[in-house]
Amino acid sequence: MRTVVNVAIILGLAALIAFLPGAGVAAGLFVWLVGIVFWGALAWFMARMYREYREELYGLGDRARAVLYVSIGVIVVTLTATSRLWSTPAGMLAWFALMGAALYGLFSVWRQYRTY
């Protein structure tokens, strides 16, 4: 019975968005706000993890820490540009090369961390 009520609520909200004037703009604003909250929560989580594991990060050494940060940056930028890169065959090849290099960098830092 609860599932039926939940489905009815979702269908009612979808009908409101589909048939009320200006509801699409409000829905777009709502999605934007949810995205902002999500990215803010992710930034807070990453800052919290950095503060918690700061000693381990500095214990890696300058070179390994640089590889770690560059690899994370390459992953973020590559994922951000995925739609543009996948629109051409050369871009698709570049996407796989960038992701592969960044993942290898993360793996090498992890392997170095586990050896000590």
Side-chain angles (χ1 to χ4, degrees):
M1 183 64 180
R2 186 163 173 89
T3 304
V4 173
V5 171
N6 289 337
V7 170
I9 290 171
I10 291 172
L11 289 175
L13 289 173
L16 287 175
I17 291 172
F19 299 119
L20 286 179
V25 175
L29 176 67
F30 179 73
V31 168
W32 180 77
L33 288 174
V34 168
I36 293 295
V37 168
F38 171 76
W39 289 113
L42 186 62
W44 174 80
F45 176 74
M46 294 305 291
R48 175 88 176 137
M49 289 294 105
Y50 174 77
R51 284 192 301 260
E52 190 171 327
Y53 293 105
R54 188 180 317 179
E55 290 181 25
E56 285 87 353
L57 286 172
Y58 283 112
L60 288 173
D62 292 338
R63 184 174 182 270
R65 203 168 55 246
V67 169
L68 175 69
Y69 293 154
V70 168
S71 295
I72 291 171
V74 167
I75 289 172
V76 167
V77 171
T78 304
L79 287 177
T80 303
T82 296
S83 63
R84 289 185 181 180
L85 287 173
W86 280 66
S87 63
T88 63
M92 190 179 299
L93 182 63
W95 188 89
F96 280 109
L98 287 168
M99 289 299 286
L103 290 174
Y104 179 74
L106 289 177
F107 177 72
S108 67
V109 170
W110 176 77
R111 192 173 54 200
Q112 179 183 350
Y113 171 73
R114 297 290 291 171
T115 57
Y116 293 110

